[in-house]
Amino acid sequence: MTTIHDTGLRGFASDNYSGIHPEVLAAIAAANDGHQIAYGEDAYSARLQEVFAEHLGEGIEAFPVFNGTGANVVGLQSMLPRWGAVVCADTAHINVDEGGAPEKVGGIKLWTVPTPDGKLTTDLIDREARGWGDEHRAQPLVVSITQSTELGTVYTPEEVRAIADHVHGLGMRLHMDGSRLANAAASLDQPIRAFTRDAGVDVMSVGGTKNGAMLAEAIVVLNPDASEGLTYLRKTNMQLASKMRFVSAQLIALYEGDLWLRNARHSNAMAARLRSALDARIADGTVSGVTFSQDTQANGLFLTLPEGVADRLRETFRFYDWDEARREVRWVCSFDTAESDVDRLVELVVAETGN
Ligand SMILES: Cc1ncc(COP(=O)(O)O)c(C=O)c1O
């Protein structure tokens, strides 16, 4: 097969638009020869348990899956009885971007809470964490937070710990959607363990795909008392890979050494470069009508643009509207975003909005 896409095409639409990191691609090739037992009894899936235990300590269990929606829906199901519900931010991926899979596939009611920045707090959780024993109310038994959030913000370890203590005090469990966990670790400059297991998270989804892998995510159980039946639920939910060695090999390539951190540091740094370049031009008046709507703490930027500007920028770089009514857009940097991509986007914004 010959290459059939334009390899010069680049953009800021999503960290899913990039390809596979060469070291991950090499890991897939390295795992390719000979036969291995299917459905997870292979040498790579065994090694992956050790790799995650090196990050998170003994007693954890990792379940490789194909995608982040699957990781969230299967992980949450394992934390809840049939009557259980999940409290989450209204911007949570499980609420707005999973096609209703938590409800339709998982049978899980979501109790959603508006937040200013994608982050739950104990007060916000309390708006929906109520009504236990009322048979008319789906029982809130899990809180799900996203790290880094869908709005590009990051919880500190102390914030996660405060939520975990509160949630556990209410007899609930804490789930983390860690699709961009690496970006959060890079932003905080903390080991993954500091804001997950050590901060009281019970079950989490660990991302791979957005950070250089292809079809590779994992559910990681940090507290075995908070999750039941994952072995069966993963299969029932169609997330059990027969050739699991190739999913596991990708996650090993990322998490065994420091590739996860290098990639995340790079995508965060590109977002910071974009933010500081535009902040400087907003301050000196060479850019006008552009307002950032969220802090830039990881690899995503949220901003409002003057009428018509987004569409003209999209003639060069693809990206998504976030809130069309407010003319808010989202830009996401990837592990392979180049400084030249960032600088070109800044030039275009200056050309479109400058006086
Ligand atoms: C916060 C968050 N969680 C999970 C996912 C994973 O979703 P997918 O099922 O597309 O891999 C995404 C992807 O956009 C996401 O942004």
Side-chain angles (χ1 to χ4, degrees):
M1 198 199 80
T2 53
T3 301
I4 56 173
H5 72 287
D6 173 0
T7 55
L9 207 62
R10 310 183 59 81
F12 293 87
S14 168
D15 32 12
N16 286 324
Y17 274 49
S18 50
I20 308 166
H21 190 280
E23 290 175 44
V24 176
L25 204 50
I28 296 171
N32 193 39
D33 285 337
H35 287 200
Q36 279 286 289
I37 305 175
Y39 297 109
E41 285 187 59
D42 60 274
Y44 296 90
S45 300
R47 172 69 189 132
L48 182 65
Q49 301 297 331
E50 296 170 358
V51 167
F52 278 130
E54 282 158 20
H55 282 280
L56 298 159
E58 293 304 320
I60 58 107
E61 197 173 357
F63 296 79
V65 292
F66 295 113
N67 58 36
T69 299
N72 287 336
V73 173
V74 179
L76 287 170
Q77 277 182 75
S78 80
M79 301 175 78
L80 288 164
R82 284 285 292 151
W83 54 91
V86 174
V87 177
C88 63
D90 62 357
T91 46
H93 197 264
I94 54 173
N95 184 44
V96 289
D97 275 316
E98 299 193 350
E103 293 94 337
K104 293 177 189 191
V105 178
I108 299 166
K109 164 77 180 169
L110 301 178
W111 292 116
T112 63
V113 188
T115 74
D117 55 5
K119 288 166 65 173
L120 288 176
T121 61
T122 55
D123 285 349
L124 290 173
I125 288 166
D126 284 346
R127 292 198 194 166
E128 292 298 346
R130 59 185 166 77
W132 298 286
D134 173 357
E135 71 188 73
H136 301 283
R137 180 166 170 81
Q139 298 289 285
L141 299 176
V142 167
V143 169
S144 182
I145 58 176
T146 307
Q147 176 79 319
S148 55
T149 72
E150 292 78 0
L151 298 183
T153 51
V154 172
Y155 290 91
T156 63
E158 295 73 28
E159 287 169 334
V160 178
R161 169 48 73 190
I163 289 173
D165 288 348
H166 186 68
V167 162
H168 292 151
L170 295 170
M172 301 171 75
R173 291 162 173 173
L174 183 60
H175 172 264
M176 178 179 279
D177 175 350
S179 164
R180 295 191 180 88
L181 192 87
N183 298 92
S187 171
L188 293 165
D189 200 19
Q190 296 265 349
I192 292 169
R193 187 175 172 149
F195 58 88
T196 59
R197 194 179 199 187
D198 289 352
V201 175
D202 293 305
V203 175
M204 64 180 178
S205 301
V206 174
T209 306
K210 293 180 193 305
N211 200 26
M214 167 199 70
L215 298 169
E217 312 275 314
I219 304 159
V220 178
V221 177
L222 302 169
N223 171 12
D225 295 334
S227 168
E228 204 185 355
L230 262 181
T231 309
Y232 309 107
L233 287 168
R234 180 173 55 178
K235 177 66 181 182
T236 306
N237 284 277
M238 300 163 281
Q239 285 285 329
L240 180 66
S242 57
K243 293 193 178 179
M244 198 188 293
R245 68 168 133 155
F246 299 107
V247 181
S248 299
Q250 294 179 62
L251 293 169
I252 293 170
L254 279 176
Y255 287 99
E256 186 175 49
D258 66 352
L259 184 59
W260 65 280
L261 191 55
R262 277 189 276 136
N263 284 352
R265 278 191 177 140
H266 178 81
S267 52
N268 287 3
M270 291 302 100
R273 182 184 179 93
L274 189 44
R275 176 72 190 248
S276 60
L278 285 177
D279 274 345
R281 283 160 181 79
I282 291 166
D284 72 15
T286 44
V287 157
S288 58
V290 173
T291 307
F292 281 95
S293 40
Q294 294 293 337
D295 289 344
T296 304
Q297 296 178 335
N299 63 327
L301 302 99
F302 294 78
L303 60 159
T304 54
L305 294 168
E307 180 89 52
V309 169
D311 285 338
R312 291 198 293 280
L313 295 176
R314 273 193 279 254
E315 288 166 16
T316 307
F317 289 119
R318 191 177 163 122
F319 57 86
Y320 291 108
D321 290 323
W322 187 254
D323 180 345
E324 247 178 291
R326 296 201 304 132
R327 293 200 303 269
E328 184 182 26
V329 301
R330 182 189 78 161
W331 292 338
V332 186
C333 295
S334 196
F335 74 87
D336 68 346
T337 300
E339 288 184 356
S340 55
D341 298 327
V342 170
D343 298 348
R344 177 87 183 107
L345 180 54
V346 173
E347 272 171 30
L348 291 170
V349 176
V350 172
E352 285 297 339
T353 69
N355 301 309

